[in-house]
Amino acid sequence: QPAKIAVPHRGASGYAAEHTLASYRLAIEQGADYVEQDLAVTKDGVLICLHDESLERTTNVEEVFPDRAVVDPATGQKQWLAADFTVAEIKRLDAGSWFDPRFAEERVPTWDEAVAALGTSARLNPELKTPDLYRSRGIDQAALFIESVERLGLPARGDSALIVQSFDDRPLREIANSLPRMPRTFLIEARDGPRWLTEEGLREIALFATGIGPAKRLLDGRPEVVRLAHATGLTVTPYTFTSRSPVDARFGSVTNEMRYFLFDLDVDAVFTDNPDQFPRASQ
Ligand code: G3P
Ligand code: CA
């Protein structure tokens, strides 16, 4: 049986400020197979590692740029969209103190810096976040990513040294056209499970992706879905396994929870905030 794979989620984000180089380095120390990067795009078209569309949850942007907020029409709350700031402006922000003062010196890394920092010590698993937002501003996020692959000499073949992921099928279709041998994971949130996790849905996914990344509850108790995905030629990587929120009482620990998905349901890999808790074997 092929070895099971740990994908530290936003780095070792259970222990270090997410998407900082410190978090990525710790993930490698803890035995990462891959390291995940969520990619946003700055006003001047630079890919950066950031989970949210906006900067206020994970940086001190509110303090540094108090007058640059816009109102989120959905919530009526102020937000500081990364796409409204240049990379030079974003580099002024403290990306670590919100998590712990020990990380106060950490900055939001660019994609290029993350690649340089990780080198060959771990494989890469970038996610193209919210491509619609950038499209509405005339920026083709997938094209920026594709351009970076050549510029940075990244692996674009089927050897799985880099797997790209997205909740949006369009960038994956674009990458399938330009880099047909690059592995592609289609992420599926809980509410979209009924649409995609059928024989027909999985067959459609296989036209533009090489794997699925479903919310874990879509697979819980359903080994037949994993079997069907595998039979369709798709890898299966559920998200997110974490000790940052209470672990399901059935499992008692995040290690046991991952063990159930990896060895009882037979998924290939897991996204986890706790790479040090990853079970390499079934016992
Ligand atoms: O990319 C897999 C998983 O990270 C999806 O959830 O919101 O943490 O990016 P999110
Ligand atoms: Ca992600």
Side-chain angles (χ1 to χ4, degrees):
Q1 199 186 36
K4 301 294 184 180
I5 291 170
V7 186
H9 178 244
R10 313 180 193 178
S13 62
Y15 314 106
E18 66 181 55
H19 291 313
T20 59
L21 295 183
S23 172
Y24 296 163
R25 290 195 189 102
L26 183 60
I28 291 166
E29 277 170 42
Q30 294 186 346
D33 295 302
Y34 283 80
V35 177
E36 191 209 20
Q37 301 82 31
D38 293 305
L39 298 181
V41 186
T42 64
K43 188 177 174 182
D44 46 348
V46 177
L47 291 167
I48 56 169
C49 302
L50 187 77
H51 175 270
D52 301 358
E53 289 173 7
S54 61
L55 292 154
E56 63 275 6
R57 180 178 63 86
T58 55
T59 74
N60 63 341
V61 68
E62 195 166 348
E63 193 184 304
V64 179
F65 296 107
D67 306 326
R68 295 274 297 277
V70 292
V71 174
D72 178 352
T75 62
Q77 300 285 315
K78 281 192 195 175
Q79 60 175 2
W80 283 255
L81 291 173
D84 287 336
F85 291 81
T86 64
V87 70
E89 288 171 335
I90 289 171
K91 282 292 179 187
R92 291 173 53 192
L93 305 175
D94 164 357
S97 288
W98 69 276
F99 185 86
D100 188 293
R102 284 186 295 130
F103 299 103
E105 297 304 313
E106 294 294 324
R107 293 291 173 265
V108 175
T110 64
W111 165 234
D112 290 25
E113 287 166 348
V115 170
L118 291 166
T120 52
S121 49
R123 294 175 282 179
L124 302 164
N125 197 185
E127 178 189 342
L128 299 180
K129 278 270 181 229
T130 58
D132 272 349
L133 169 70
Y134 304 112
R135 203 173 291 118
S136 72
R137 291 166 174 242
I139 294 173
D140 184 340
Q141 185 190 33
L144 287 175
F145 171 73
I146 291 165
E147 178 273 323
S148 80
V149 170
E150 189 169 344
R151 182 168 46 78
L152 300 172
L154 295 173
R157 294 187 306 279
D159 53 10
S160 298
L162 185 154
I163 302 174
V164 65
Q165 35 158 351
S166 189
F167 282 102
D168 189 322
D169 61 309
R170 281 168 297 178
L172 297 182
R173 291 179 197 270
E174 213 172 315
I175 292 164
N177 280 329
S178 303
L179 304 169
R181 296 180 64 199
M182 177 175 279
R184 287 155 267 124
T185 301
F186 182 49
L187 300 169
I188 303 169
E189 55 187 306
R191 65 174 177 195
D192 293 332
R195 174 174 173 209
W196 292 110
L197 296 182
T198 62
E199 207 172 325
E200 200 189 356
L202 290 165
R203 269 206 306 272
E204 188 186 337
I205 292 170
L207 298 174
F208 62 84
T210 60
I212 55 169
K216 63 188 178 187
R217 76 174 144 105
L218 291 172
L219 303 180
D220 197 356
R222 301 176 68 195
E224 70 282 3
V225 177
V226 180
R227 275 198 296 273
L228 197 54
H230 284 161
T232 315
L234 297 165
T235 60
V236 183
T237 309
Y239 68 89
T240 297
F241 295 84
T242 185
S243 64
R244 300 191 70 195
S245 46
V247 174
D248 189 320
R250 280 179 298 156
F251 304 115
S253 71
V254 71
T255 301
N256 285 339
E257 186 189 18
M258 288 192 271
R259 194 172 270 136
Y260 163 72
F261 279 80
L262 289 163
F263 298 102
D264 294 350
L265 300 181
D266 197 29
V267 304
D268 305 285
V270 290
F271 290 101
T272 179
D273 293 347
N274 305 91
D276 61 333
Q277 307 290 311
F278 181 77
R280 293 269 160 204
S282 57
Q283 295 304 318

